[in-house]
């Protein structure tokens, strides 16, 4: 199959120890034309400077504050969150994914959004040819057994009310897969539907934020998937959870976690140089991948690893942990204490 030209889009809140590995990993596995990273202005500048010697596809950075013709402050001013669990930035990064083409000139018609903490390992093909047709496929990598039922219900109500379609569902996985193919054609009709629901000519960005005031929340991946499932079902292509979700892991590691500590130890053994936890640390994908292969073995590699950086993952009730967290060897709360 001829390689189709496409771009990645990645919203990034902050550069972290794993940023280089994720960007290099995407380049190695998928050979995109470009990787577009949208971040707060200081982070965008830092990434542009730090990545000059990284082994990535053409990397372009954008300041999120003025990414759209409306500023971030103007868009977020529409929110009235009260005691919401969410921050304005959490909603805004969803709009960056849905509206990427409005701030990135020449973005590919099909573009892949990838969460900045998701490392591809024994990963899935993003494009496959089926009956002479190229399918753009994502993988369901989050099990639907756990999660906050109240929030999931609110997302579903948003989809039914605003989009006027039924939420797409799967027997095992959720449509919150931490990556997604978007097609600009379907995004345009999605946005028109937002205007139609509100009976308003105001910008869809403002209306999306107002919808959060009305419904408390929305989820970009599930909203978009449901829209495509209803309007162009042949273009909603995905791998079932059993294929790649069974081996993915999710755990807290902001550079002080179990995985990064073991990686530092591995590097020390390989190089003879000690790396303390407070030293700058930005290993290449080649190094991280070699460590994973040694640790897991080639016959039992994970499809992907999610490095969560929010400390809330260390505090959440065990009953609310995702299966992908429960089974991870890098989740400190699930590791059995040593016995004397």
């Amino acid at each position: 199959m001829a390689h189709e030209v496409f771009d990645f889009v990645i919203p990034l809140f902050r550069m972290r120890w794993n940023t280089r590995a994720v960007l290099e990993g995407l380049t190695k596995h998928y050979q995109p034309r470009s990787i577009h990273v949208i971040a707060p202005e200081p982070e965008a500048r830092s990434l542009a400077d730090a990545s000059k010697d990284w082994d990535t596809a053409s990397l372009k950075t954008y300041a999120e504050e003025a990414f759209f013709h409306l500023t971030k402050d103007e868009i977020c001013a529409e929110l009235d969150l009260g005691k919401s669990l969410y921050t304005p930035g959490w909603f805004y990064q969803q709009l960056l994914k849905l509206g990427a083409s409005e701030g990135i000139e020449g973005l590919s018609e099909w573009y892949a959004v990838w969460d900045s903490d998701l490392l591809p390992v024994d990963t899935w093909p993003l494009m496959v040819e089926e009956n002479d047709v190229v399918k753009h496929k994502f993988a369901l990598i989050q099990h639907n057994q756990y999660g906050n039922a109240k929030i999931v219900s609110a997302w579903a109500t948003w989809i039914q009310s605003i989009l006027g379609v039924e939420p797409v569902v799967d027997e095992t996985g959720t449509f919150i897969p931490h990556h997604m193919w978007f097609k600009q054609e379907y995004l345009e009709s999605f946005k028109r539907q937002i205007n139609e629901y509100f009976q308003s000519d105001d910008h869809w960005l403002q209306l999306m934020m107002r919808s959060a005031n009305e419904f408390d929340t929305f989820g970009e991946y599930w909203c978009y998937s449901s829209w495509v499932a209803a309007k162009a079902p042949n273009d909603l292509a995905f791998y079932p959870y059993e294929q790649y979700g069974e081996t993915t892991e999710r755990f807290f590691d902001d550079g002080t976690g179990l995985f990064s500590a073991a990686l530092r130890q591995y590097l020390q053994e390989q190089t003879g140089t000690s790396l303390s936890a407070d030293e700058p640390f930005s290993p290449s994908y080649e190094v991280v991948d070699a460590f994973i292969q040694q640790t897991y073995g080639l016959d039992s590699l994970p499809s992907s690893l999610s490095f969560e950086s929010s400390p809330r993952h260390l505090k959440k009730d065990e009953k609310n942990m995702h299966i992908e967290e429960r089974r991870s060897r890098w989740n400190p709360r699930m590791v059995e204490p040593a016995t004397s």
Side-chain angles (χ1 to χ4, degrees):
M1 182 181 74
H3 182 70
E4 180 179 320
V5 171
F6 79 99
D7 302 318
F8 273 112
V9 172
I10 303 178
L12 177 74
F13 174 61
R14 182 172 296 151
M15 273 185 63
R16 302 201 182 269
W17 70 272
N18 55 288
T19 301
R20 176 182 179 179
V22 170
L23 297 178
E24 290 186 345
L26 293 177
T27 298
K28 176 180 178 180
H29 286 286
Y30 298 123
Q31 299 87 51
R33 175 178 63 178
S34 299
I35 301 176
H36 302 276
V37 180
I38 313 164
E41 196 273 337
E43 297 296 319
R45 274 191 288 109
S46 295
L47 178 60
D49 183 58
S51 63
K52 290 176 181 177
D53 296 324
W54 296 359
D55 187 14
T56 71
S58 175
L59 184 62
K60 302 177 182 180
T61 63
Y62 305 80
E64 66 173 29
E65 292 85 350
F67 183 76
F68 299 111
H69 79 275
L70 295 170
T71 68
K72 179 180 179 181
D73 285 344
E74 289 172 328
I75 296 167
C76 290
E78 300 288 343
L79 286 167
D80 181 18
L81 296 177
K83 296 181 179 180
S84 172
L85 297 173
Y86 302 109
T87 65
W90 186 82
F91 287 106
Y92 187 70
Q93 58 89 20
Q94 296 190 54
L95 302 188
L96 293 173
K97 299 170 186 177
L98 296 168
S101 65
E102 298 182 25
I104 300 173
E105 185 176 355
L107 185 65
S108 54
E109 173 67 12
W110 283 93
Y111 65 91
V113 168
W114 195 274
D115 283 7
S116 64
D117 58 8
L118 181 63
L119 183 81
V121 185
D122 191 15
T123 192
W124 48 91
L126 280 175
M127 285 183 284
V128 297
E129 191 170 303
E130 298 178 359
N131 300 320
D132 298 323
V133 175
V134 175
K135 291 287 189 179
H136 300 76
K137 300 184 76 170
F138 57 95
L140 302 186
I141 58 172
Q142 181 170 293
H143 201 286
N144 62 21
Q145 184 174 345
Y146 293 89
N148 189 314
K150 182 179 179 181
I151 293 174
V152 171
S153 177
W155 286 340
T157 300
W158 191 103
I159 293 167
Q160 292 166 327
S161 301
I162 292 185
L163 298 183
V165 302
E166 285 303 307
V168 62
V169 294
D170 179 79
E171 183 179 357
T172 310
T174 74
F175 284 85
I176 308 162
H178 309 288
H179 69 296
M180 179 63 65
W181 276 110
F182 289 100
K183 189 178 184 185
Q184 293 192 43
E185 175 188 352
Y186 305 143
L187 285 166
E188 288 308 306
S189 62
F190 176 95
K191 295 167 189 175
R192 288 195 297 271
Q193 177 60 27
I194 304 301
N195 288 95
E196 179 68 22
Y197 172 81
F198 281 99
Q199 291 292 290
S200 171
D201 291 330
D202 288 348
H203 200 285
W204 70 272
L205 294 164
Q206 296 170 300
L207 298 178
M208 283 291 289
M209 290 305 203
R210 291 175 200 166
S211 79
N213 298 334
E214 184 175 345
F215 294 90
D216 294 328
T217 185
F218 55 77
E220 79 285 63
Y221 292 144
W222 197 15
C223 295
Y224 175 80
S225 297
S226 297
W227 182 249
V228 177
K231 303 300 180 180
N234 288 336
D235 274 343
L236 187 71
F238 56 88
Y239 300 100
Y241 183 87
E242 292 76 12
Q243 198 158 354
Y244 293 100
E246 294 281 5
T247 62
T248 194
E249 294 181 33
R250 180 178 179 182
F251 50 91
F252 171 81
D253 197 329
D254 63 351
T256 64
L258 295 178
F259 182 95
S260 54
L263 177 57
R264 290 175 192 271
Q265 180 63 34
Y266 167 82
L267 286 172
Q268 181 175 333
E269 293 169 357
Q270 296 292 312
T271 65
T273 303
S274 178
L275 285 170
S276 65
D278 57 356
E279 289 184 71
F281 186 52
S282 185
S284 68
Y285 182 75
E286 182 180 12
V287 165
V288 176
D289 191 44
F291 165 70
I292 293 171
Q293 290 186 33
Q294 176 177 296
T295 303
Y296 284 82
L298 292 176
D299 294 332
S300 55
L301 293 172
S303 64
S304 57
L305 298 176
S306 289
F307 301 106
E308 302 286 354
S309 56
S310 172
R312 71 183 178 84
H313 284 273
L314 298 176
K315 301 174 182 177
K316 66 164 61 172
D317 290 341
E318 187 173 326
K319 65 181 181 180
N320 291 329
M321 283 187 189
H322 292 283
I323 289 176
E324 299 77 30
E325 294 175 277
R326 289 171 174 268
R327 65 163 168 252
S328 178
R329 68 181 69 191
W330 310 111
N331 183 346
R333 297 177 61 188
M334 306 307 291
V335 175
E336 293 185 7
T339 56
S340 56

